[in-house]
């Protein structure tokens, strides 16, 4: 069987076309035996002499079917000739189509890898004719990974065993541009094996790392990009540069200063690196939409900062639908609604179905529309989080219907802080038993 090529999807096979088996019957009559010239070729082959690939195939076919009375060998020969049947000398294995590679299975067993996990998720990896299990394990071991870590990496990212040692070492050198210490690097690989073993786009990855360093991003931020947003490194560096230039140009046109531009850009990228997957035209269209919606340049810049660049993942159409829905729900004027959006950009960002679900959830809990208008940021919370927090506050005797939604709002850390204050206030004694009493004689 010829060596297979990994294409990133279902494996394909390269090699000779399938051989057909001529029928033993021909027209209902027995065909004559193969011609006598075959016996000469047979004896020559037995002596180890083959004059051509054509003669070799003739021998193999005749050897298989020469004893069958129904074989018309001469009538079959033109079909073989027309197929340009070639004999290849390529790397082969004992693996048959659709069967697992026994050598790969043995190597994985030797590393205590749970093969059942791989079979459940990516069984096709086990069918590949070529794998580099011992080689990849050796490289990971050199970097400081222990045996359980190696097994875990191969279980969660089976494609790792299909990467050649040269590819993995190149990726290793690439990541060391921003993470020099190998003990830290191996921890990253253990946490994000899929990102590390995605070895394509090597030149783009390297060029983008150098570009981000020149831009002023710290290595720890670039490392976070490599692990959590690897797709941005697939872009040609010119494309990423063009997006950055578009953001810089618009920042200045919206009233931003040269002195703050670099800090603003770096903060925006740190918060949302996926902004680089946007196109320059999409960025321009969304900014124009906000301007036409009566937001001032200063307010547009404020929205960009609050939304952390996620606004560029929207379209004018989706933003328009969300704005119309929210305006009708709150029954407010354009100016009032604009203030609501500035307080809670989620009204602009979330789609109509999400806004509808969250508003209905709040109303079912007894929260009024007036309360939501006063604290619209509560719409940034999912319905499940709102229900959980209301339940916790209710256990302390706090009524959300008559209380302030600020205690319900905020991040998990914010809520826990507010919850702790309410709890301590409830448990505080009426008097301090430790304080001395003023008793008159």
């Amino acid at each position: 069987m010829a060596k297979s090529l990994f294409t990133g999807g279902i494996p394909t096979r390269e090699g000779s076309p399938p051989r057909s088996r001529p029928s033993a019957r021909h027209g209902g009559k027995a065909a004559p035996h193969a011609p006598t010239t075959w016996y000469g070729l047979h004896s020559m082959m037995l002596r180890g002499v083959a004059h051509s690939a054509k003669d070799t195939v003739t021998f193999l076919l005749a050897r298989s079917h020469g004893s069958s009375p129904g074989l018309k060998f001469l009538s079959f020969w033109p079909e073989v000739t027309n197929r340009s049947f070639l004999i290849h000398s390529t790397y082969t294995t004992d693996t048959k189509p659709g069967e697992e590679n026994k050598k790969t299975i043995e190597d994985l067993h030797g590393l205590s890898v749970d093969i059942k996990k791989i079979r459940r998720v990516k069984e096709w990896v086990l069918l590949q004719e070529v794998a580099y299990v011992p080689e990849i394990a050796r490289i990971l071991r050199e970097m400081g990974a222990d045996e359980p870590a190696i097994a875990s990496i191969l279980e969660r990212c089976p494609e790792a065993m299909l990467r050649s040692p040269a590819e993995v070492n190149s990726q290793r050198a690439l990541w060391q541009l921003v993470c020099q210490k190998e003990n830290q690097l191996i921890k990253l690989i253990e946490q994000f094996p899929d990102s590390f073993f995605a070895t394509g786009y090597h030149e783009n990855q390297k060029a983008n790392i150098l570009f981000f360093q020149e831009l002023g991003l710290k290595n720890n931020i670039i490392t976070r990009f490599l692990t959590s947003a690897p797709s941005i490194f697939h872009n040609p560096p010119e494309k990423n540069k063009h997006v950055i230039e578009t953001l810089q140009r618009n920042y200045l046109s919206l009233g931003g200063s040269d002195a703050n531009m670099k800090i603003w850009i770096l903060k925006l990228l740190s918060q949302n690196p996926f902004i680089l997957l946007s196109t320059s035209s999409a960025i321009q269209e969304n900014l124009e939409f906000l301007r036409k919606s009566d937001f001032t340049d200063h307010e547009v810049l404020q929205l960009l900062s609050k939304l952390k660049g996620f606004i560029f993942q929207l379209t004018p159409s989706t933003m328009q639908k969300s704005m119309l829905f929210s305006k009708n729900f709150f029954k407010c004027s354009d100016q009032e609604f604009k203030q609501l959006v500035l307080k809670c950009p989620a009204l602009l960002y979330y789609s109509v179905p999400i806004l509808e679900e969250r508003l209905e959830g709040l109303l079912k809990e007894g929260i009024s529309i007036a309360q939501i208008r006063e604290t619209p940021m509560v719409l940034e919370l999912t319905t499940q989080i709102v229900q959980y927090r209301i339940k916790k506050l209710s256990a302390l005797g706090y009524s959300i219907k008559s209380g302030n939604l600020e205690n319900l709002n905020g991040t998990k850390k914010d809520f826990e802080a507010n919850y702790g204050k309410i709890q301590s206030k409830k448990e505080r004694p009426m008097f301090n038993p430790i304080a001395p009493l003023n008793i008159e004689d």
Side-chain angles (χ1 to χ4, degrees), residues 319-363:
M319 286 190 285
Q320 179 71 38
K321 289 176 182 177
S322 296
M323 289 171 69
L324 287 173
F325 170 80
S326 299
K327 195 183 294 184
N328 289 333
F329 178 84
F330 289 110
K331 295 180 173 57
C332 56
S333 66
D334 291 346
Q335 187 59 33
E336 289 173 332
F337 179 71
K338 192 169 76 166
Q339 294 307 312
L340 279 176
V341 170
L342 291 172
K343 286 175 71 176
C344 177
L347 292 171
L348 195 67
Y349 178 74
Y350 289 123
S351 65
V352 171
I354 291 176
L355 289 172
E356 194 171 20
E357 178 198 352
R358 294 186 180 184
L359 287 166
E360 285 180 0
L362 291 169
L363 295 176

Short mmCIF file of all heavy atoms in Angstrom, two decimals, residues 319-363:
data_model
loop_
_atom_site.label_atom_id
_atom_site.label_comp_id
_atom_site.label_asym_id
_atom_site.label_seq_id
_atom_site.Cartn_x
_atom_site.Cartn_y
_atom_site.Cartn_z
N MET A 319 -27.50 45.81 13.80
CA MET A 319 -27.56 46.90 14.78
C MET A 319 -28.88 47.68 14.65
O MET A 319 -29.49 48.05 15.66
CB MET A 319 -26.37 47.84 14.60
CG MET A 319 -25.05 47.26 15.11
SD MET A 319 -23.70 48.48 15.16
CE MET A 319 -23.28 48.61 13.42
N GLN A 320 -29.32 47.90 13.43
CA GLN A 320 -30.57 48.62 13.18
C GLN A 320 -31.75 47.87 13.78
O GLN A 320 -32.62 48.47 14.44
CB GLN A 320 -30.77 48.80 11.68
CG GLN A 320 -32.04 49.52 11.27
CD GLN A 320 -31.99 51.00 11.63
OE1 GLN A 320 -30.95 51.64 11.51
NE2 GLN A 320 -33.12 51.56 12.06
N LYS A 321 -31.80 46.55 13.61
CA LYS A 321 -32.89 45.74 14.13
C LYS A 321 -32.91 45.76 15.67
O LYS A 321 -33.98 45.88 16.28
CB LYS A 321 -32.75 44.30 13.64
CG LYS A 321 -33.04 44.13 12.16
CD LYS A 321 -32.78 42.69 11.72
CE LYS A 321 -33.03 42.53 10.22
NZ LYS A 321 -32.70 41.15 9.75
N SER A 322 -31.73 45.66 16.29
CA SER A 322 -31.65 45.68 17.75
C SER A 322 -32.10 47.02 18.30
O SER A 322 -32.81 47.09 19.32
CB SER A 322 -30.21 45.38 18.20
OG SER A 322 -29.83 44.07 17.82
N MET A 323 -31.70 48.10 17.63
CA MET A 323 -32.08 49.44 18.09
C MET A 323 -33.58 49.67 18.00
O MET A 323 -34.21 50.19 18.93
CB MET A 323 -31.32 50.49 17.26
CG MET A 323 -29.83 50.56 17.57
SD MET A 323 -28.91 51.61 16.44
CE MET A 323 -29.53 53.23 16.89
N LEU A 324 -34.19 49.26 16.90
CA LEU A 324 -35.64 49.43 16.72
C LEU A 324 -36.42 48.62 17.76
O LEU A 324 -37.40 49.10 18.33
CB LEU A 324 -36.05 49.01 15.31
CG LEU A 324 -35.65 49.96 14.18
CD1 LEU A 324 -35.99 49.33 12.82
CD2 LEU A 324 -36.38 51.30 14.33
N PHE A 325 -35.98 47.39 18.01
CA PHE A 325 -36.66 46.54 19.00
C PHE A 325 -36.60 47.18 20.39
O PHE A 325 -37.61 47.28 21.10
CB PHE A 325 -36.02 45.15 19.02
CG PHE A 325 -36.49 44.29 20.17
CD1 PHE A 325 -37.72 43.64 20.09
CD2 PHE A 325 -35.73 44.16 21.33
CE1 PHE A 325 -38.17 42.87 21.16
CE2 PHE A 325 -36.17 43.38 22.38
CZ PHE A 325 -37.39 42.73 22.30
N SER A 326 -35.40 47.59 20.81
CA SER A 326 -35.23 48.16 22.14
C SER A 326 -35.99 49.48 22.30
O SER A 326 -36.59 49.75 23.34
CB SER A 326 -33.74 48.39 22.43
OG SER A 326 -33.04 47.17 22.39
N LYS A 327 -35.98 50.29 21.26
CA LYS A 327 -36.67 51.58 21.31
C LYS A 327 -38.18 51.37 21.48
O LYS A 327 -38.84 52.08 22.25
CB LYS A 327 -36.39 52.37 20.04
CG LYS A 327 -36.76 53.85 20.13
CD LYS A 327 -36.52 54.57 18.82
CE LYS A 327 -35.07 54.63 18.46
NZ LYS A 327 -34.83 55.41 17.21
N ASN A 328 -38.73 50.39 20.79
CA ASN A 328 -40.16 50.08 20.91
C ASN A 328 -40.49 49.51 22.28
O ASN A 328 -41.55 49.78 22.85
CB ASN A 328 -40.58 49.09 19.82
CG ASN A 328 -40.59 49.73 18.44
OD1 ASN A 328 -40.77 50.93 18.31
ND2 ASN A 328 -40.37 48.92 17.41
N PHE A 329 -39.58 48.72 22.83
CA PHE A 329 -39.82 48.09 24.14
C PHE A 329 -39.84 49.15 25.23
O PHE A 329 -40.73 49.16 26.09
CB PHE A 329 -38.73 47.06 24.44
CG PHE A 329 -38.87 46.41 25.78
CD1 PHE A 329 -39.72 45.34 25.99
CD2 PHE A 329 -38.16 46.90 26.89
CE1 PHE A 329 -39.87 44.76 27.23
CE2 PHE A 329 -38.29 46.33 28.13
CZ PHE A 329 -39.15 45.26 28.32
N PHE A 330 -38.87 50.04 25.21
CA PHE A 330 -38.78 51.06 26.27
C PHE A 330 -39.68 52.28 26.00
O PHE A 330 -39.87 53.10 26.90
CB PHE A 330 -37.33 51.52 26.44
CG PHE A 330 -36.43 50.48 27.05
CD1 PHE A 330 -35.46 49.85 26.29
CD2 PHE A 330 -36.58 50.13 28.37
CE1 PHE A 330 -34.62 48.90 26.86
CE2 PHE A 330 -35.75 49.17 28.95
CZ PHE A 330 -34.77 48.54 28.19
N LYS A 331 -40.20 52.36 24.76
CA LYS A 331 -41.07 53.48 24.40
C LYS A 331 -40.44 54.84 24.76
O LYS A 331 -41.00 55.62 25.53
CB LYS A 331 -42.43 53.33 25.07
CG LYS A 331 -43.21 52.12 24.60
CD LYS A 331 -44.56 52.02 25.29
CE LYS A 331 -45.40 50.90 24.70
NZ LYS A 331 -44.77 49.57 24.72
N CYS A 332 -39.26 55.05 24.21
CA CYS A 332 -38.53 56.27 24.52
C CYS A 332 -38.17 57.04 23.25
O CYS A 332 -38.24 56.49 22.14
CB CYS A 332 -37.25 55.95 25.31
SG CYS A 332 -36.16 54.78 24.49
N SER A 333 -37.79 58.29 23.40
CA SER A 333 -37.40 59.11 22.25
C SER A 333 -36.00 58.71 21.77
O SER A 333 -35.29 57.94 22.44
CB SER A 333 -37.40 60.59 22.66
OG SER A 333 -36.38 60.81 23.63
N ASP A 334 -35.62 59.26 20.62
CA ASP A 334 -34.30 58.95 20.06
C ASP A 334 -33.19 59.36 21.03
O ASP A 334 -32.21 58.63 21.21
CB ASP A 334 -34.11 59.66 18.72
CG ASP A 334 -35.00 59.08 17.63
OD1 ASP A 334 -35.55 57.98 17.86
OD2 ASP A 334 -35.15 59.71 16.57
N GLN A 335 -33.33 60.53 21.63
CA GLN A 335 -32.31 61.04 22.54
C GLN A 335 -32.23 60.18 23.80
O GLN A 335 -31.13 59.86 24.29
CB GLN A 335 -32.60 62.49 22.90
CG GLN A 335 -31.50 63.18 23.71
CD GLN A 335 -30.17 63.21 22.99
OE1 GLN A 335 -30.11 63.30 21.76
NE2 GLN A 335 -29.09 63.14 23.76
N GLU A 336 -33.40 59.79 24.33
CA GLU A 336 -33.41 58.94 25.52
C GLU A 336 -32.80 57.58 25.22
O GLU A 336 -32.06 57.03 26.04
CB GLU A 336 -34.85 58.77 26.02
CG GLU A 336 -35.45 60.02 26.64
CD GLU A 336 -36.92 59.85 26.95
OE1 GLU A 336 -37.60 59.05 26.25
OE2 GLU A 336 -37.41 60.52 27.89
N PHE A 337 -33.12 57.06 24.06
CA PHE A 337 -32.57 55.76 23.70
C PHE A 337 -31.06 55.83 23.52
O PHE A 337 -30.33 54.90 23.89
CB PHE A 337 -33.23 55.23 22.42
CG PHE A 337 -32.69 53.89 21.99
CD1 PHE A 337 -32.98 52.74 22.71
CD2 PHE A 337 -31.86 53.77 20.88
CE1 PHE A 337 -32.48 51.50 22.33
CE2 PHE A 337 -31.36 52.55 20.49
CZ PHE A 337 -31.66 51.41 21.21
N LYS A 338 -30.57 56.91 22.95
CA LYS A 338 -29.14 57.07 22.75
C LYS A 338 -28.41 57.04 24.09
O LYS A 338 -27.34 56.41 24.21
CB LYS A 338 -28.85 58.39 22.02
CG LYS A 338 -27.42 58.49 21.51
CD LYS A 338 -27.23 59.66 20.58
CE LYS A 338 -27.16 60.96 21.35
NZ LYS A 338 -26.66 62.08 20.51
N GLN A 339 -29.00 57.66 25.11
CA GLN A 339 -28.39 57.63 26.44
C GLN A 339 -28.40 56.22 27.04
O GLN A 339 -27.46 55.83 27.74
CB GLN A 339 -29.14 58.61 27.38
CG GLN A 339 -28.99 60.07 26.99
CD GLN A 339 -27.54 60.50 26.85
OE1 GLN A 339 -26.71 60.21 27.72
NE2 GLN A 339 -27.22 61.18 25.74
N LEU A 340 -29.48 55.48 26.74
CA LEU A 340 -29.53 54.08 27.19
C LEU A 340 -28.42 53.26 26.56
O LEU A 340 -27.77 52.44 27.22
CB LEU A 340 -30.89 53.46 26.84
CG LEU A 340 -32.07 53.76 27.76
CD1 LEU A 340 -33.35 53.15 27.19
CD2 LEU A 340 -31.82 53.25 29.17
N VAL A 341 -28.19 53.46 25.26
CA VAL A 341 -27.14 52.72 24.55
C VAL A 341 -25.76 53.07 25.09
O VAL A 341 -24.90 52.19 25.25
CB VAL A 341 -27.21 53.00 23.02
CG1 VAL A 341 -25.99 52.43 22.31
CG2 VAL A 341 -28.48 52.43 22.44
N LEU A 342 -25.54 54.33 25.40
CA LEU A 342 -24.25 54.74 25.94
C LEU A 342 -24.01 54.13 27.33
O LEU A 342 -22.88 53.82 27.69
CB LEU A 342 -24.16 56.26 26.02
CG LEU A 342 -24.09 56.99 24.66
CD1 LEU A 342 -24.21 58.49 24.85
CD2 LEU A 342 -22.79 56.64 23.93
N LYS A 343 -25.10 53.97 28.10
CA LYS A 343 -24.98 53.32 29.40
C LYS A 343 -24.83 51.82 29.26
O LYS A 343 -24.10 51.18 30.04
CB LYS A 343 -26.22 53.63 30.25
CG LYS A 343 -26.27 55.04 30.79
CD LYS A 343 -27.57 55.31 31.52
CE LYS A 343 -27.66 54.57 32.82
NZ LYS A 343 -28.92 54.92 33.56
N CYS A 344 -25.50 51.24 28.26
CA CYS A 344 -25.48 49.79 28.06
C CYS A 344 -25.34 49.47 26.57
O CYS A 344 -26.33 49.29 25.86
CB CYS A 344 -26.76 49.16 28.61
SG CYS A 344 -26.87 47.38 28.35
N PRO A 345 -24.12 49.42 26.05
CA PRO A 345 -23.90 49.12 24.62
C PRO A 345 -24.44 47.76 24.19
O PRO A 345 -24.54 47.48 23.00
CB PRO A 345 -22.38 49.16 24.50
CG PRO A 345 -21.91 50.01 25.62
CD PRO A 345 -22.86 49.73 26.73
N ALA A 346 -24.80 46.91 25.18
CA ALA A 346 -25.38 45.60 24.85
C ALA A 346 -26.65 45.76 24.03
O ALA A 346 -27.01 44.88 23.23
CB ALA A 346 -25.68 44.81 26.12
N LEU A 347 -27.36 46.87 24.20
CA LEU A 347 -28.58 47.13 23.42
C LEU A 347 -28.26 47.24 21.93
O LEU A 347 -29.12 47.01 21.08
CB LEU A 347 -29.24 48.43 23.89
CG LEU A 347 -29.84 48.41 25.30
CD1 LEU A 347 -30.26 49.81 25.71
CD2 LEU A 347 -31.03 47.45 25.35
N LEU A 348 -27.04 47.55 21.63
CA LEU A 348 -26.59 47.67 20.25
C LEU A 348 -25.99 46.36 19.76
O LEU A 348 -26.12 45.99 18.60
CB LEU A 348 -25.54 48.79 20.16
CG LEU A 348 -25.17 49.35 18.80
CD1 LEU A 348 -26.35 50.09 18.18
CD2 LEU A 348 -23.98 50.29 18.95
N TYR A 349 -25.35 45.67 20.69
CA TYR A 349 -24.56 44.48 20.32
C TYR A 349 -25.38 43.20 20.21
O TYR A 349 -25.21 42.43 19.28
CB TYR A 349 -23.43 44.30 21.34
CG TYR A 349 -22.58 43.08 21.09
CD1 TYR A 349 -21.66 43.06 20.04
CD2 TYR A 349 -22.70 41.93 21.87
CE1 TYR A 349 -20.88 41.95 19.80
CE2 TYR A 349 -21.92 40.81 21.64
CZ TYR A 349 -21.01 40.83 20.60
OH TYR A 349 -20.25 39.72 20.35
N TYR A 350 -26.28 42.98 21.18
CA TYR A 350 -27.02 41.71 21.19
C TYR A 350 -28.11 41.70 20.14
O TYR A 350 -28.73 42.72 19.85
CB TYR A 350 -27.63 41.44 22.57
CG TYR A 350 -26.60 41.09 23.61
CD1 TYR A 350 -26.48 41.83 24.79
CD2 TYR A 350 -25.72 40.03 23.43
CE1 TYR A 350 -25.53 41.52 25.75
CE2 TYR A 350 -24.77 39.71 24.38
CZ TYR A 350 -24.67 40.46 25.53
OH TYR A 350 -23.72 40.15 26.46
N SER A 351 -28.37 40.53 19.60
CA SER A 351 -29.41 40.37 18.57
C SER A 351 -30.79 40.46 19.22
O SER A 351 -30.93 40.35 20.45
CB SER A 351 -29.26 39.02 17.87
OG SER A 351 -29.49 37.96 18.79
N VAL A 352 -31.81 40.63 18.40
CA VAL A 352 -33.18 40.76 18.90
C VAL A 352 -33.62 39.54 19.71
O VAL A 352 -34.19 39.70 20.81
CB VAL A 352 -34.17 41.02 17.73
CG1 VAL A 352 -35.62 40.93 18.20
CG2 VAL A 352 -33.89 42.39 17.12
N PRO A 353 -33.39 38.30 19.26
CA PRO A 353 -33.82 37.14 20.07
C PRO A 353 -33.18 37.11 21.45
O PRO A 353 -33.83 36.75 22.44
CB PRO A 353 -33.36 35.94 19.22
CG PRO A 353 -33.31 36.45 17.82
CD PRO A 353 -32.87 37.86 17.94
N ILE A 354 -31.90 37.49 21.56
CA ILE A 354 -31.23 37.48 22.87
C ILE A 354 -31.82 38.56 23.77
O ILE A 354 -32.12 38.32 24.95
CB ILE A 354 -29.71 37.69 22.69
CG1 ILE A 354 -29.09 36.46 22.03
CG2 ILE A 354 -29.04 37.95 24.04
CD1 ILE A 354 -27.62 36.60 21.72
N LEU A 355 -32.01 39.77 23.23
CA LEU A 355 -32.60 40.85 24.01
C LEU A 355 -34.01 40.49 24.48
O LEU A 355 -34.39 40.74 25.63
CB LEU A 355 -32.64 42.14 23.19
CG LEU A 355 -31.30 42.83 22.91
CD1 LEU A 355 -31.48 43.97 21.92
CD2 LEU A 355 -30.69 43.36 24.21
N GLU A 356 -34.78 39.89 23.58
CA GLU A 356 -36.16 39.50 23.91
C GLU A 356 -36.18 38.49 25.05
O GLU A 356 -36.97 38.60 25.99
CB GLU A 356 -36.82 38.93 22.66
CG GLU A 356 -38.32 38.78 22.76
CD GLU A 356 -38.95 38.42 21.42
OE1 GLU A 356 -38.22 37.92 20.53
OE2 GLU A 356 -40.16 38.65 21.27
N GLU A 357 -35.31 37.51 24.98
CA GLU A 357 -35.25 36.46 26.01
C GLU A 357 -34.87 37.06 27.37
O GLU A 357 -35.48 36.73 28.40
CB GLU A 357 -34.21 35.40 25.61
CG GLU A 357 -34.04 34.30 26.65
CD GLU A 357 -32.75 33.52 26.48
OE1 GLU A 357 -32.05 33.72 25.47
OE2 GLU A 357 -32.44 32.72 27.38
N ARG A 358 -33.89 37.94 27.38
CA ARG A 358 -33.42 38.51 28.65
C ARG A 358 -34.44 39.46 29.26
O ARG A 358 -34.63 39.49 30.49
CB ARG A 358 -32.07 39.20 28.44
CG ARG A 358 -30.99 38.19 28.06
CD ARG A 358 -29.61 38.79 27.99
NE ARG A 358 -28.64 37.76 27.63
CZ ARG A 358 -27.33 37.94 27.55
NH1 ARG A 358 -26.81 39.14 27.82
NH2 ARG A 358 -26.53 36.95 27.21
N LEU A 359 -35.09 40.25 28.43
CA LEU A 359 -36.12 41.16 28.94
C LEU A 359 -37.30 40.38 29.51
O LEU A 359 -37.84 40.73 30.57
CB LEU A 359 -36.58 42.10 27.82
CG LEU A 359 -35.58 43.19 27.43
CD1 LEU A 359 -35.98 43.84 26.11
CD2 LEU A 359 -35.48 44.25 28.54
N GLU A 360 -37.71 39.33 28.82
CA GLU A 360 -38.82 38.50 29.31
C GLU A 360 -38.44 37.84 30.64
O GLU A 360 -39.28 37.74 31.55
CB GLU A 360 -39.17 37.43 28.28
CG GLU A 360 -39.94 37.96 27.08
CD GLU A 360 -40.27 36.86 26.08
OE1 GLU A 360 -39.88 35.69 26.33
OE2 GLU A 360 -40.89 37.17 25.05
N GLY A 361 -37.19 37.41 30.75
CA GLY A 361 -36.73 36.78 31.99
C GLY A 361 -36.78 37.73 33.16
O GLY A 361 -37.18 37.36 34.27
N LEU A 362 -36.39 38.99 32.94
CA LEU A 362 -36.44 39.99 34.00
C LEU A 362 -37.87 40.30 34.41
O LEU A 362 -38.18 40.43 35.61
CB LEU A 362 -35.74 41.27 33.53
CG LEU A 362 -34.21 41.18 33.35
CD1 LEU A 362 -33.69 42.41 32.63
CD2 LEU A 362 -33.51 41.02 34.70
N LEU A 363 -38.76 40.42 33.42
CA LEU A 363 -40.16 40.72 33.72
C LEU A 363 -40.82 39.59 34.49
O LEU A 363 -41.64 39.83 35.39
CB LEU A 363 -40.93 41.00 32.42
CG LEU A 363 -40.49 42.25 31.63
CD1 LEU A 363 -41.26 42.35 30.32
CD2 LEU A 363 -40.69 43.52 32.46
#
